[in-house]
Amino acid sequence: MKVLVAVKRVVDYNVKVRPTADGSGVDLNNVKMSINPFCEIAVEEAVRLKEKDPTTEIVAVSIGPQQSQEQIRTSLALGADRGILIKSDTDLEPLAIAKCLKAICDQENPDLILMGKQSIDGDNNQTGQMLGALTGYPQGTFASELSVEGGKAKVTREVDGGLQTISLTLPAIVTTDLRLNEPRYASLPNIMKAKKKPMDTTSPEELGIDTTPRVTTLKVEPPAERAAGIKVSDVDDLLDKLKNEAKVI
């Protein structure tokens, strides 16, 4: 079985982001970058599938600037077999990313595509669904459990009403949720081995993909600071403030 895992380079979730001075975007100078946490869960799940079936091949794919190879190397250190970098210095939108992944799927013919349900920067939650539409593959989004057997993937999804279990015929797309697993740490020997694992580089242009942005960012600014809260002595005081100060009742 061949598993394709999409990984995205994002600002580390522990970093408090701030806008640039001109408000044109997020200030990335001297900021720690990491694999998107949901993508890291997807990598971990692929490695667990390989541990159950050693014949499984894991291909890590990232779309972004040259520095995105760092996140691919991290994936290789965690257990992926080889990597593909689709180099682009443009901040790609979900549809453009889905088209690039579709082109890679056409080349690699994977049995299973794993990706995070969303990235913590754009927070769009669109790429997996768009890739499903482009490829025609069945999809299981927000997966909290996954098992693969007999050419089918059994996916337990987190939905508003609780949990939904579905069966997908491979090839299929699964987007990972937080409760699917807990990612491991890469060991030093595996980090050293990852440096020797193969990584191919291509570009949207070579894949024949038009990545022209359809949305323009006008301004990026931090949210307005909230005023400090106050304590009230009793219910009558609360009602008075709601009526006369907040004027909500």
Side-chain angles (χ1 to χ4, degrees):
M1 183 172 71
K2 181 185 290 188
V3 181
L4 191 73
V5 184
V7 295
K8 185 177 183 181
R9 176 183 173 89
V10 300
V11 176
D12 189 87
Y13 70 94
N14 288 309
V15 175
K16 184 176 181 180
V17 296
R18 61 182 186 275
T20 56
D22 60 0
S24 61
V26 176
D27 188 0
L28 300 180
N29 290 325
N30 301 315
V31 172
K32 181 183 178 182
M33 307 295 285
S34 302
I35 295 179
N36 177 53
F38 291 104
C39 299
E40 197 171 14
I41 292 171
V43 174
E44 171 65 23
E45 194 64 22
V47 174
R48 294 188 183 192
L49 291 173
K50 183 175 181 177
E51 289 173 343
K52 295 177 182 178
D53 180 5
T55 63
T56 299
E57 180 186 19
I58 303 173
V59 183
V61 182
S62 187
I63 306 169
Q66 184 66 33
Q67 295 93 322
S68 294
Q69 63 180 328
E70 299 171 9
Q71 281 62 53
I72 295 179
R73 290 295 178 194
T74 300
S75 301
L76 296 176
L78 291 171
D81 297 292
R82 57 188 175 91
I84 300 174
L85 172 62
I86 304 175
K87 185 180 176 182
S88 174
D89 294 321
T90 305
D91 189 12
L92 299 185
E93 296 169 0
L95 180 58
I97 295 172
K99 288 180 177 179
C100 290
L101 292 176
K102 164 68 164 56
I104 296 299
C105 288
D106 291 341
Q107 294 178 1
E108 296 289 336
N109 295 313
D111 300 290
L112 182 65
I113 300 100
L114 291 174
M115 61 177 65
K117 69 171 185 176
Q118 63 195 79
S119 61
I120 61 173
D121 51 2
D123 219 31
N124 292 303
N125 182 19
Q126 295 176 340
T127 304
Q129 293 87 331
M130 288 180 172
L131 180 60
L134 293 172
T135 59
Y137 294 167
Q139 56 180 292
T141 54
F142 318 122
S144 59
E145 290 183 30
L146 171 65
S147 62
V148 179
E149 187 176 357
K152 291 186 178 294
K154 183 179 179 181
V155 181
T156 299
R157 304 178 59 235
E158 297 193 358
V159 296
D160 292 340
L163 299 176
Q164 178 190 55
T165 301
I166 59 176
S167 178
L168 309 175
T169 301
L170 301 182
I173 299 166
V174 175
T175 69
T176 59
D177 214 331
L178 283 173
R179 280 154 290 280
L180 181 59
N181 60 53
E182 184 175 343
R184 69 192 69 190
Y185 291 98
S187 65
L188 182 58
N190 287 337
I191 292 174
M192 301 305 294
K193 291 177 183 177
K195 296 180 179 180
K196 298 182 180 179
K197 291 184 178 180
M199 183 189 305
D200 297 326
T201 301
T202 183
S203 68
E205 291 75 22
E206 292 179 7
L207 296 173
I209 306 299
D210 178 14
T211 59
T212 304
R214 291 170 168 80
V215 178
T216 302
T217 300
L218 301 180
K219 188 177 183 181
V220 176
E221 57 186 0
E225 293 187 7
R226 298 175 61 181
I230 60 173
K231 291 184 178 181
V232 295
S233 57
D234 52 38
V235 174
D236 292 335
D237 189 15
L238 172 61
L239 292 174
D240 179 66
K241 291 184 180 298
L242 290 175
K243 182 178 180 179
N244 299 315
E245 293 184 18
K247 299 185 184 301
V248 295
I249 59 175

